[in-house]
Amino acid sequence: GESVGLHLPTLSVQEGDNSIINCAYSNSASDYFIWYKQESGKGPQFIIDIRSNMDKRQGQRVTVLLNKTVKHLSLQIAATQPGDSAVYFCAETTWANNLFFGTGTRLTVIP
Amino acid sequence: DGGITQSPKYLFRKEGQNVTLSCEQNLNHDAMYWYRQDPGQGLRLIYYSQIVNDFQKGDIAEGYSVSREKKESFPLTVTSAQKNPTAFYLCASTPTGGTYEQYFGPGTRLTVT
């Protein structure tokens, strides 16, 4: 089966700095990727998604980069705020398949 | 408010008892999912349902059962056969039509002692 994993389980950044969270995937057939944010004791919230025909997508303060050559995607958060502290998951899927989630990276923003 | 509701938020049971977790959505989504999350781990798929009266096992279905009698409801029963039932359970739903984004409920934390 597919494996989706993150390079670092924890990440600490100063408030106002940019954050970069990385994710590796192993299924080259995956064509859709999502980043979720999960705050403590809550369900995951959608942040941004990207399809395999794109290599970059931007949202509000967030950018997702997809490198299909090395099967890697990253989530960049600009001007990180205390409210960004959470666990971030990447998820992948192929057509008609279910989502496969990584183990998550805990982002801590230091005021 | 449209969304997914799970109840209760915290649930305590004695070992050997079956327990049913509720999941309701008013988003008119066709597909619904149940995940289990353990500390420091990602989400693991228990069961999913693409349409009413139909459901499939996920990666860790043993010890669990579901039903999908109504489009808006997808209850999960944790049976006494589940060896390690204590976990955080998340329900999700998604519309059909080519979108894969799953919308999650707030979760139920089940503790079995």
Side-chain angles (χ1 to χ4, degrees):
Chain A
E2 296 91 341
S3 69
V4 180
L6 301 180
H7 294 312
L8 296 172
T10 61
L11 177 66
S12 295
V13 298
Q14 289 290 141
E15 181 178 356
D17 287 352
N18 297 336
S19 303
I20 299 176
I21 300 171
N22 297 304
C23 181
Y25 64 95
S26 59
N27 186 356
S28 56
S30 292
D31 61 1
Y32 182 72
F33 305 87
I34 305 178
W35 280 101
Y36 283 94
K37 172 186 179 183
Q38 186 178 26
E39 296 175 345
S40 182
K42 297 183 179 178
Q45 294 173 284
F46 172 89
I47 302 174
I48 192 168
D49 59 0
I50 189 167
R51 295 194 182 274
S52 60
N53 60 352
M54 304 170 69
D55 53 19
K56 180 179 180 179
R57 191 159 190 229
Q58 288 184 294
Q60 188 177 11
R61 282 201 307 119
V62 294
T63 300
V64 55
L65 299 177
L66 176 62
N67 185 331
K68 294 181 286 294
T69 302
V70 295
K71 296 198 284 269
H72 179 272
L73 69 159
S74 66
L75 176 70
Q76 300 177 3
I77 304 174
T80 313
Q81 303 168 1
D84 294 327
S85 292
V87 176
Y88 290 81
F89 294 94
C90 62
E92 61 163 327
T93 189
T94 57
W95 174 251
N97 283 353
N98 296 313
L99 286 174
F100 292 89
F101 290 84
T103 53
T105 291
R106 181 174 299 281
L107 174 66
T108 301
V109 180
I110 304 166
Chain B
D1 272 343
I4 302 175
T5 57
Q6 291 184 244
S7 61
K9 188 167 178 62
Y10 299 96
L11 193 53
F12 298 89
R13 280 294 182 271
K14 292 290 186 185
E15 196 173 318
Q17 293 179 334
N18 292 354
V19 59
T20 298
L21 282 60
S22 166
C23 177
E24 304 277 332
Q25 54 98 0
N26 61 4
L27 301 166
N28 200 34
H29 287 174
D30 288 310
M32 297 185 73
Y33 306 79
W34 274 106
Y35 293 91
R36 171 187 171 130
Q37 186 175 34
D38 294 286
Q41 296 191 30
L43 281 65
R44 292 185 290 168
L45 183 64
I46 305 173
Y47 267 99
Y48 64 101
S49 168
Q50 302 280 17
I51 198 168
V52 175
N53 292 323
D54 186 52
F55 48 82
Q56 282 79 41
K57 294 181 179 179
D59 300 319
I60 55 165
E62 185 176 350
Y64 300 97
S65 66
V66 293
S67 63
R68 187 84 188 277
E69 297 176 1
K70 297 186 295 183
K71 186 175 184 177
E72 58 270 22
S73 178
F74 191 39
L76 173 75
T77 296
V78 184
T79 75
S80 57
Q82 167 50 234
K83 293 192 174 81
N84 297 298
T86 295
F88 189 48
Y89 290 88
L90 287 158
C91 179
S93 70
T94 188
T96 53
T99 178
Y100 305 113
E101 178 193 342
Q102 293 185 11
Y103 297 77
F104 284 85
T108 291
R109 186 166 299 280
L110 172 65
T111 302
V112 177
T113 57

